[in-house]
Structures are given as structure tokens and as C-alpha cells.
């Protein structure tokens, strides 16, 4: 069933777990992620970032994501990841997305607050949740830019949350998008200070490559939404490659099944680490 992201994150706060937010690019990924969620009885979030829409146009994949959420046997929120422009955010809201992110992390604080408030006003008539980012997560969602990481200032996070009224706040604590060059170690000292000052659920971007024990420490320290993108794309691609190598692909629909399997296995692995299973 299609649900509001606010309700999923409230459940995660009360239940002491995190909800996986899985990036998808086609129907096979949507079906694999939802199959993992249904099998484990886990609530999940389906998301797509604005920079990916050149491959998967929002007017096409958006209705698919919303329809798949409605059909699912578990609660599914549908989220626009890293919204950058107001027309895209408005289109996502009109298609029935139950959550949108505005990423103003590259803007000066005052401008980030002003723009986020504008997006919150747009989302309000739809009842959709709003996520924003403060500090700067390293890399970029599609790997096209090498953005330097800048850890979130806890006092700024408190002011940002109070003045914008966002429903979820993405923080930078040593995380970066894409595959890490070295094993990342997150700044739990900063996360604890943010958690003590900010009541809204916190979001961890750049989930690919974070150690399982660090994920667990994250969801015990206020992180309630964890974004996974690169790991999904890599798992799908690897699953297809392995199926070819094993001689399993005899025609198009074997390829289709291998894609679904890759997305399913990756989502299931993360749902287990995030302790989301059984909370649907
Ligand atoms: P990864 O590609 O590192 O998993 O990051 C996902 C993300 O944060 C999308 O917003």
C-alpha cells in the first residue's frame, strides 16, 4: 500500500530500526525491491533522484513507482531523491509521490532554509513529506561530480530543522555517494550531537559500502532512513553478468529475471541489516 513517508519514519523511531530507501531505474528494480520487502514483511521507500531522470523520465517511471506501491502487500512510500528544481518537485507531487527531497546543501544556509520552506509550502496541500540536507554529503548521486564532503554542524542542523519544519533531515557525517575508495568510518560523535539537538528523523545518504555494524550504530543513533543506490545498480548488473556466465540467459525474459533477482537480493540484505523486517 502507498503510504506517507512521515508514517514510516515515525514507526522506525518508535520501533528502533531504519527504513531502506532504494533507488530504482526500471520496472525490474521496482519489482525486485518490493518482492524483498513483501517476503521480509518490511516497510520500504522507493526513490529516484532528479539527476537520473535523463535515463528514466519521471512522467514514465513515477506512475510505475506509485502503482507498484499501491499494489504492494507492505507499506511503501514513494520519494523524489535530491530534488533540484521546482518543476520536477511539482511533477513528483502531482504524480502522487508521498515524499520529496529538496537538496540545497550546496547553497548558503539562509538560501537553503528559504528554498526548503518554499518546497515545504508546495508539498503541504498534497500532505507529502519533505526531506532536506544540511552539510554536504560527498560525491554526487550519479557520480558526475566530485563534491567535497563537509560534515553537518549540529547547531546549524537544529536551526535548520526548527525554521523549515522538514519531516526528515539528511546529514553529512563522513558519508559519500558511490563506491568508497577506502572503508568509510562515520563520525558518530557528530551524529550523537545532532541527534541530541534535532527531533526529526535523520537520513543517511551514500549507504553503499558502509559497514553493517556502522549501519546498526546509525539506526540506534537517530538515523531512520538509509539511502541505497549504487549497491542496487551494481547488484543488478552483477546478477545479469553472472547469469550470462552461467549460461542461464537463453532469451530476453531470463535477462528480465536476472535483473529482478539482483535488486531483490540487494534489498533483502539491507532490510536485514536495518532490522526493518516484520515491521510492515
Ligand atoms: P549510494 O549510491 O552511495 O548508495 O548513495 C545513495 C544515495 O544517497 C542516494 O541519494
Amino acid at each position: 500500500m502507498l503510504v506517507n513517508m512521515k508514517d514510516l519514519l515515525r514507526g522506525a523511531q518508535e520501533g528502533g530500526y531504519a527504513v531502506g530507501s532504494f533507488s530504482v531505474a526500471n520496472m525490474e528494480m521496482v519489482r525486485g525491491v518490493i518482492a524483498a520487502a513483501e517476503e521480509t514483511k518490511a516497510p520500504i521507500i522507493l526513490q529516484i533522484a532528479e539527476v537520473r531522470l535523463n535515463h528514466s523520465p519521471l512522467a514514465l517511471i513515477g506512475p510505475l513507482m506509485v502503482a507498484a506501491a499501491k499494489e504492494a502487500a507492505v507499506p511503501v512510500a514513494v520519494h523524489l531523491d535530491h530534488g533540484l528544481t521546482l518543476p520536477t518537485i511539482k511533477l513528483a507531487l502531482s504524480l502522487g509521490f508521498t515524499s520529496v527531497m529538496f537538496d540545497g546543501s550546496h547553497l548558503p544556509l539562509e538560501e537553503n532554509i528559504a528554498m526548503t520552506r518554499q518546497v515545504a509550502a508546495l508539498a503541504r496541500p498534497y500532505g507529502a513529506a519533505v526531506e532536506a540536507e544540511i552539510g554536504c554529503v560527498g560525491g554526487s548521486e550519479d557520480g558526475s561530480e566530485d563534491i567535497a564532503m563537509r560534515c553537518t554542524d549540529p547547531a546549524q542542523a537544529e536551526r535548520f530543522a526548527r525554521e523549515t519544519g522538514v519531516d526528515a533531515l539528511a546529514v553529512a557525517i563522513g558519508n559519500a555517494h558511490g563506491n568508497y575508495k577506502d572503508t568509510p568510518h562515520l563520525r558518530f560523535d557528530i551524529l550523537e550531537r545532532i541527534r541530541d539537538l534535532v527531533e526529526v528523523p535523520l537520513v543517511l545518504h551514500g549507504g553503499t559500502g558502509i559497514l553493517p555494524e556502522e549501519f546498526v550504530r546509525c539506526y540506534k543513533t537517530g538515523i531512520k532512513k538509509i539511502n541505497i543506490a549504487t549497491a542496487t545498480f551494481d547488484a543488478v548488473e552483477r546478477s545479469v553478468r553472472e547469469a550470462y556466465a552461467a549460461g542461464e540467459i537463453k532469451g530476453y525474459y531470463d535477462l528480465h529475471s536476472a535483473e529482478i533477482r539482483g535488486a531483490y537480493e540487494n534489498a533483502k540484505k539491507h532490510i536485514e541489516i536495518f532490522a526493518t523486517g516484520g515491521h510492515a
Side-chain angles (χ1 to χ4, degrees):
M1 70 214 75
L2 177 66
V3 298
N4 195 293
M5 195 174 81
K6 286 181 236 182
D7 298 329
L8 289 194
L9 300 188
R10 196 174 312 117
Q13 280 185 315
E14 287 165 6
Y17 57 91
V19 182
S21 194
F22 297 96
S23 295
V24 291
N26 62 14
M27 184 182 72
E28 289 76 3
M29 292 187 202
V30 168
R31 294 196 56 199
V33 170
I34 289 189
E38 288 181 335
E39 188 185 305
T40 55
K41 301 194 170 24
I44 50 140
I45 301 162
L46 290 178
Q47 66 176 20
I48 187 158
E50 183 159 350
V51 289
R52 304 281 188 187
L53 299 177
N54 52 342
H55 297 288
S56 313
L58 190 57
L60 302 183
I61 195 153
L64 167 71
M65 292 163 74
V66 171
K70 285 182 179 163
E71 294 251 308
V74 291
V76 180
V78 178
H79 175 71
L80 176 71
D81 188 30
H82 292 284
L84 300 168
T85 62
L86 295 181
T88 301
I89 290 171
K90 284 183 191 161
L91 178 57
L93 290 167
S94 71
L95 290 172
F97 278 42
T98 56
S99 176
V100 290
M101 176 186 187
F102 171 68
D103 180 0
S105 57
H106 51 287
L107 298 172
L109 181 65
E110 305 293 336
E111 275 177 56
N112 192 0
I113 290 175
M115 282 296 295
T116 302
R117 286 171 64 108
Q118 210 177 321
V119 171
L122 281 178
R124 204 165 298 126
Y126 295 90
V130 175
E131 175 183 332
E133 178 173 320
I134 176 147
C136 215
V137 172
S140 66
E141 208 284 334
D142 64 349
S144 60
E145 283 179 86
D146 193 14
I147 297 168
M149 199 263 299
R150 180 167 39 82
C151 281
T152 302
D153 175 307
Q156 282 191 358
E158 189 279 329
R159 179 181 159 204
F160 188 90
R162 184 165 32 82
E163 294 191 10
T164 59
V166 286
D167 304 292
L169 184 60
V171 293
I173 52 168
N175 44 323
H177 295 106
N179 286 309
Y180 293 89
K181 290 185 190 82
D182 301 306
T183 306
H185 291 291
L186 301 176
R187 292 286 305 271
F188 288 99
D189 54 331
I190 297 177
L191 181 58
E192 279 166 15
R193 284 166 51 217
I194 300 169
R195 188 262 331 256
D196 290 346
L197 291 171
V198 177
E199 274 175 28
V200 298
L202 303 176
V203 182
L204 184 77
H205 282 244
T208 300
I210 305 263
L211 295 172
E213 56 269 31
E214 297 215 350
F215 276 139
V216 171
R217 205 166 153 196
C218 276
Y219 74 68
K220 292 185 172 170
T221 319
I223 296 282
K224 295 292 131 189
K225 169 176 180 279
I226 302 180
N227 287 10
I228 303 289
T230 306
T232 308
F233 304 133
D234 288 354
V236 169
E237 194 264 333
R238 194 169 47 246
S239 170
V240 168
R241 210 159 5 93
E242 286 172 0
Y244 270 114
E248 287 167 12
I249 298 193
K250 312 266 190 260
Y252 171 73
Y253 286 100
D254 301 323
L255 173 65
H256 166 92
S257 302
E259 283 197 45
I260 294 177
R261 192 164 61 243
Y264 157 84
E265 283 168 1
N266 175 68
K268 193 171 166 197
K269 179 178 95 180
H270 286 96
I271 286 167
E272 278 166 15
I273 299 171
F274 304 160
T276 335
H279 292 290

